[in-house]
Amino acid sequence: MKIAVYPGTFDPITFGHIDVIKKSLKIFDKLIVATTDNTDKNYFFSIEERIDIINNSLFKDLKFNKKKIKVISFNNLTIDLCRKYNATAIIRGLRAVSDFEYEFQLAGMNKKLNSKIETMFMMSDVENQIISSKFVKEIANLGGDIERFVTKYTVKMLKSKY
């Protein structure tokens, strides 16, 4: 079974993230969607809320197969997560050239930590490449329409916060 880990903050998950998940499932038998609980960052949604939003977005709003995706939280090295779940790859989403330098360095460090784990970069479809969680939160805060960027459940959760 081919397994990959897709780590991120997913604060909140967007259609850009979901595009990457769809593409990953074409290549891998199982995908671990892992949202980080790194204490160095300020999150809009708590780790419990992010897990809830991801689960509801993927399995209720979009009807993804629960046997193919596992949603978890983590606060350790992604490489350690790969070892725990027998994953052979880390999935990273790219939106723009500006993402590449950081992602390239991160992939290199992960390769040094475990040479058996590959990092795969994926881009979302063109219409979703400009979406970021940061912009979605800002638009929601200013009363704008975010339904083109996130699932119905995510819209509901954002509206409950603002």
Side-chain angles (χ1 to χ4, degrees):
M1 179 180 278
K2 293 187 295 185
I3 302 169
V5 170
Y6 181 26
T9 55
F10 305 109
D11 189 30
I13 192 168
T14 69
F15 285 138
H17 297 124
I18 291 165
D19 274 351
V20 171
I21 290 170
K22 286 178 186 175
K23 290 175 182 188
S24 298
L25 290 172
K26 291 178 183 177
I27 300 167
F28 295 94
D29 301 311
K30 185 160 184 127
L31 185 65
I32 310 300
V33 177
T35 183
T36 184
D37 196 20
N38 184 333
T39 55
D40 292 342
K41 293 189 176 186
N42 266 338
Y43 297 105
F44 185 74
F45 290 106
S46 71
I47 190 68
E48 295 82 14
E49 288 171 322
R50 285 182 279 139
I51 294 286
D52 176 60
I53 292 168
I54 295 166
N55 278 314
N56 278 286
S57 294
L58 296 179
F59 304 125
K60 290 191 178 159
D61 287 345
L62 301 173
K63 310 290 189 230
F64 276 83
N65 183 343
K66 286 184 180 183
K67 292 178 183 173
K68 294 187 67 86
I69 301 171
K70 181 175 182 70
V71 179
I72 62 162
S73 65
F74 77 109
N75 59 4
N76 57 338
L77 292 172
T78 305
I79 291 297
D80 292 339
L81 203 59
C82 290
R83 191 176 304 117
K84 178 179 179 179
Y85 289 98
N86 295 315
T88 57
I90 299 168
I91 304 298
R92 299 297 296 176
L94 291 175
R95 284 186 308 252
V97 174
S98 58
D99 291 341
F100 184 75
E101 186 173 348
Y102 170 78
E103 294 294 344
F104 180 76
Q105 290 175 350
L106 186 61
M109 289 302 294
N110 283 331
K111 193 70 169 176
K112 289 282 188 190
L113 292 170
N114 187 332
S115 62
K116 294 178 184 173
I117 307 294
E118 296 296 335
T119 298
M120 294 183 68
F121 298 109
M122 295 196 183
M123 296 179 73
S124 60
D125 289 340
V126 173
E127 65 270 10
N128 293 322
Q129 285 178 3
I130 51 103
I131 301 172
S132 75
S133 297
K134 179 183 174 185
F135 289 150
V136 168
K137 289 180 284 199
E138 190 172 329
I139 293 166
N141 185 39
L142 296 171
D145 180 12
I146 56 171
E147 290 181 8
R148 292 174 291 169
F149 310 124
V150 295
T151 65
K152 289 178 183 178
Y153 191 80
T154 307
V155 170
K156 176 182 157 189
M157 292 300 289
L158 280 163
K159 284 184 177 180
S160 75
K161 288 272 196 174
Y162 289 114

